[in-house]
Amino acid sequence: MKRLTILFALVLTFVIPTFAQKSCLQTAICGARSNAERTDYKGKASLLKAIGHAEKVLEQESNIHKINAETARLRRATEKYLSHRPSQWVTIQNGKLWTTTAGDTVQAHAPGFLRIGDLWYMVGEDRSKSWNPDVNLYSSTDLATWKFEKKIIENGVTSPELGKTRMIERAKLMYNQRTGKFVVWCHWEASNYGASEAACFVADSVNGSYRMVWSGRPLGIKSRDCNVFQDTDGTAYFISTTEENNHLGLFQLADDYLSVTAHTQLFPWQKREAPAIVRLADRYFMFSSACSGWDPNQCKLSVSSSLQSGWSELANVGNAIAYDTQAAAILEIRGTKQTTYLYVGDRWQDPDLPRTKTIIFPISFSDSTCHFAYHERFDLNFVTGEWRATPSAPSFADKSGWTVASCSSQETTSENAPAQHAIDGNAQTLWHTRYSSTPATPPHHLTIDMGRTLAIQGFLATPRMDGDANGLIRKYEFQVSQDGYRWTTVAAADWLPYCTEVDFPAQSCRYFRLVSTEGAFASLAEIDVINASADY
Ligand code: DGJ
């Protein structure tokens, strides 16, 4: 018996740790290899040599110290190689569907991110069929070009016992330094959101085979919309909307991230969802939304120096509909000159679940506040960590000489919102349809005379920027005319994408008209048209 115990102790001391160390070395090899495959920086040959050496050690070595030393050596070699990334600007454009390097639509809604070297991995809901989503994995070196890696969770297949009945939402991916494993936590729901469960999956490599470890109500608590947060000391948390959407639950995870060990209730009765946490020095910032189904609502921020307590009162950030998004993640781009934080959100209603857009824009923090402003496009430098307004924005027509030919109505009594404000070049002023005395009824329209014939191939409607969402135009028609009498509709849809250029085949016209065909109000900060390309 005694001998058996000693043997068991030996196994625990040497064999199991060796397994964990090997797993970490294996992960370092996979990370180095996939980074080498997807990039072409100076020093690639040395990195490939280091990978080859590490592979031999992995195969032949069983001494823990030697394995650890090799892992550290390979990590250093990888870092050295990645330090040769050239400093370049990458443009991120919002409002459009993302396509993969193979030309397919990216399906990774409510995404979660994990960075390995210069590779960003993104997991998210595959909503190509709207309901019962699977979970897809993509990778990118610049958050703009995405390669489809694989479907990591297939509804009804990865865990077949329930059939394809689950709503797998908000999958989030983490790497566990201690175990060398990749862990996914998600909302694991039944069709009527009554199950209120979570689930956890694990794999040996980022694009390996994920198996379900656990599903259910964490510590017996009903749990819906969720996210994860990994603190600087490696402690991880699952955070979710609990007990019929009433509270947020902060669930501390075990060291291996595969189970929940403790629960702290946050924001009692405040009905928050879509939580996303980021840590800056010794402060945690948490973004969250109200619960309004797929409709966007006001994003709010709370700050604390402890995850478990002391959260400040929720404060509004951005406009009343979070620029038509709901939070999914906050990314950190740490560079040689600065750190840029990126807000990632889902534009669920634009125009439906399969075509939901992923929106990214830079945000910044000072003390306990966040500067949270929408950018239709911006440039990012992954080496310096800087961002800037994109200098090569499309060519918008010069507005001098433009006049308002007609408009359905304008509000000039309760606020100064004449139609002229939509073409004054100032996004801080706005046109609003009449709401004093007898409110105007739809359709609302604004007709502009450009004063000369122009070839145009698109327009950009900039919504009001004052934080209010009243009058946001959704169902619309965009028409052009040469003489102001005969009109051609060149674009129309049930959903005008928020602050996004709408393209149409090039047209010569002197007049254009934006019609808002439903909604009690219409409002607009600016309307611009895009010059047709020179070869038109
Ligand atoms: C909003 C949530 O944030 C989404 O993840 C999803 O659960 C929808 N509600 C369902 O209405």
Side-chain angles (χ1 to χ4, degrees), residues 110 125 127 169-170 187 193 225 273-274 292-294 326 348:
E125 301 162 19
R127 287 202 173 264
E169 294 186 352
R170 295 189 178 264
H187 181 188
Y193 288 88
D225 239 41
E273 66 176 12
S292 52
W294 305 105
Q326 191 181 29
W348 292 115

